[in-house]
Amino acid sequence: MTTSDAAATPAGSPAEPSSTAAKPAARDPWDLPDVSGLVIGVLGGTGDQGRGLAYRFARAGHKVIIGSRAAERAQAAADELGLGVEGAANADCARRSDVVIVAVPWEGHAKTLQALRAELAGKLVIDCVNPLGFDKKGAYALKPEEGSAAEQAAALLPESRVTAAFHHLSAVLLQDPAIAEIDTDVMVLGERRADTDLVQALTARIPGMRGVFAGRLRNAHQVESLVANLISVNRRYKAHAGLRVTDV
Ligand SMILES: NC(=O)c1ccc[n+]([C@@H]2O[C@H](COP(=O)([O-])OP(=O)(O)OC[C@H]3O[C@@H](n4cnc5c(N)ncnc54)[C@H](OP(=O)(O)O)[C@@H]3O)[C@@H](O)[C@H]2O)c1
């Protein structure tokens, strides 16, 4: 249903309450929590996407820990970034962080999370993994058995607070220190409002970015898949395309 469909609902229909009883005031959806003190870990933080996010959050003043399958690779990437970024093995990174971003390739997603179930228990997990295939026609969306990478994460991490975000960002822009603002919205998905509010607030720590709630994890597949379209855009127009959601 579009916004105009909703507006066109006839008076007295089931969608419109007939009672005149006072309802509590709607919460301001942009009233977001203070997340400035949160420690952010990045699994697979030695790669382009993880390194880019680590750089942006460290630049925004967060304590950031880069994770890797090898602690020394994480340390080398952290030393390159500076800004107080630390490096650690993925398990240590998960244990020491409040919020953990999953930035490993789809191929290693399930195995990585299975191994970190205990370390990630109780943590806010942000999955940004896009299950994509590539052939001579370009990128295309894969169809994970669980529905999406985010749903696979939620299934593997029942004691974590799994959300999904940061799928559409360009790692090139994130890593470029000459770029002060990243002009894009970030679609944020999750099951609990407190968690998606936190992720939206974290997104807003990066100048130019805005986090927009985009539904529950069952709708993550479309968001992950859209990256195949953005890759096509980037190839045709030699761009690093982002997204904006209008009228919110
Ligand atoms: N690149 C982008 O622009 C972009 C944008 C949005 C979302 N993403 C998503 O972010 C994720 C990471 O992208 P990326 O381009 O940074 O990928 P990447 O460079 O290929 O991989 C990231 C890191 O993951 C680790 N890794 C590699 N294979 C692994 C495996 N089988 N199991 C566990 N860890 C493995 C490696 O770190 P160690 O060897 O140090 O462990 C690697 O440096 C992907 O799922 C992608 O869909 C990427």
Side-chain angles (χ1 to χ4, degrees), residues 125-145:
V125 172
I126 310 177
D127 203 292
C128 71
V129 171
N130 301 312
L132 296 178
F134 293 87
D135 62 17
K136 59 180 188 311
K137 293 182 184 172
Y140 61 96
L142 301 175
K143 295 190 175 99
E145 204 182 305

Side-chain angles (χ1 to χ4, degrees), residues 179-198:
I179 295 176
E181 294 196 2
I182 310 271
D183 176 23
T184 194
D185 281 341
V186 167
M187 290 194 169
V188 177
L189 299 98
E191 299 301 322
R192 282 172 292 268
R193 180 154 186 175
D195 296 339
T196 54
D197 277 359
L198 268 176

Side-chain angles (χ1 to χ4, degrees), residues 95-108:
R95 204 177 297 115
R96 291 169 52 202
S97 304
D98 301 309
V99 175
V100 181
I101 299 173
V102 185
V104 299
W106 168 240
E107 297 70 39

Side-chain angles (χ1 to χ4, degrees), residues 2 39 41 51 53 65 73 80 85 89 96 119 126 132 146 154 164 195 202 237:
T2 64
V39 177
R51 201 185 281 247
L53 286 169
I65 305 172
R73 276 203 296 278
E80 271 176 42
V85 177
R96 291 169 52 202
E119 290 82 356
I126 310 177
L132 296 178
E146 298 82 355
D195 296 339
L202 280 170
Y237 301 104

Side-chain angles (χ1 to χ4, degrees), residues 234-246:
N234 289 341
R235 287 187 178 173
R236 174 69 57 91
Y237 301 104
K238 309 278 178 271
H240 301 294
L243 287 178
R244 281 292 183 200
V245 180
T246 58

Side-chain angles (χ1 to χ4, degrees), residues 44 46-50 68-69 73 103-106 108 112 128-130 166-167 169-171:
T46 54
D48 284 338
Q49 169 77 345
S68 165
R69 290 169 296 179
R73 276 203 296 278
V104 299
W106 168 240
T112 301
C128 71
V129 171
N130 301 312
F166 305 132
H167 308 87
L169 302 181
S170 157

